[in-house]
Amino acid sequence: MSLRVKAGIDLEELKKYGFKTGKEWADAGERCLEGIGYKYQHEWYHKFLMDADEPSKIAYIAEDYDIPCVQISVRTEHRDLYVDVAVEGTYHVGGSELDIVTDTIYELTQAGILEVVPEESEGK
């Protein structure tokens, strides 16, 4: 079972919930979506856990890597919700760091934007 944005919902609606396109994140200088290797994600919509010290910047696992701590993405071609959590140099990610995931899923569900896709229907 997975979640996806319902057919007929304009993906631009996601911007009301803190999502931006990969191109917008890259243009803002966020390294996790900069460069030719990430171009395939530029049309997708992404939301990230933001840095506690610099709230306008994405929280990364370490200064040396371009891996975000928490990422929520919607691939435009499938409209599916993808969540990724990475840990490096920390004991674990959890608690308040994952509130962005549960809060976002709750808000999108309450707004009627998400639907549950049964396993046999995935990819169709």
Side-chain angles (χ1 to χ4, degrees):
M1 176 169 52
S2 63
L3 296 171
R4 73 174 167 212
V5 175
K6 291 178 180 178
I9 302 280
D10 185 349
L11 293 177
E12 285 286 308
E13 284 289 308
L14 296 171
K15 290 185 176 185
K16 294 179 184 175
Y17 302 91
F19 287 81
K20 296 179 186 177
T21 65
K23 176 137 176 47
E24 289 171 313
W25 286 109
D27 289 348
E30 290 296 348
R31 64 185 187 260
C32 65
L33 287 161
E34 282 186 319
I36 194 74
Y38 297 104
K39 193 165 183 161
Y40 72 98
Q41 294 184 32
H42 281 190
E43 299 304 315
W44 299 0
Y45 287 79
H46 307 272
K47 183 175 182 177
F48 299 93
L49 176 67
M50 303 307 282
D51 189 290
D53 296 326
E54 293 185 67
S56 65
K57 298 288 184 186
I58 293 172
Y60 292 93
I61 62 169
E63 283 298 316
D64 298 336
Y65 300 106
D66 61 355
I67 303 168
C69 291
V70 179
Q71 175 177 352
I72 306 168
S73 299
V74 175
R75 299 183 301 174
T76 50
E77 62 272 19
H78 300 290
R79 302 174 69 87
D80 58 330
L81 192 73
Y82 169 82
V83 176
D84 193 14
V85 178
V87 290
E88 171 76 22
T90 62
Y91 176 64
H92 62 84
V93 173
S96 63
E97 292 96 344
L98 293 179
D99 285 350
I100 187 172
V101 175
T102 56
D103 292 350
T104 299
I105 290 172
Y106 176 78
E107 290 171 353
L108 294 175
T109 301
Q110 287 295 105
I113 292 173
L114 292 180
E115 66 181 351
V116 174
V117 181
E119 201 169 307
E120 63 274 0
S121 298
E122 290 180 20
K124 292 182 180 178

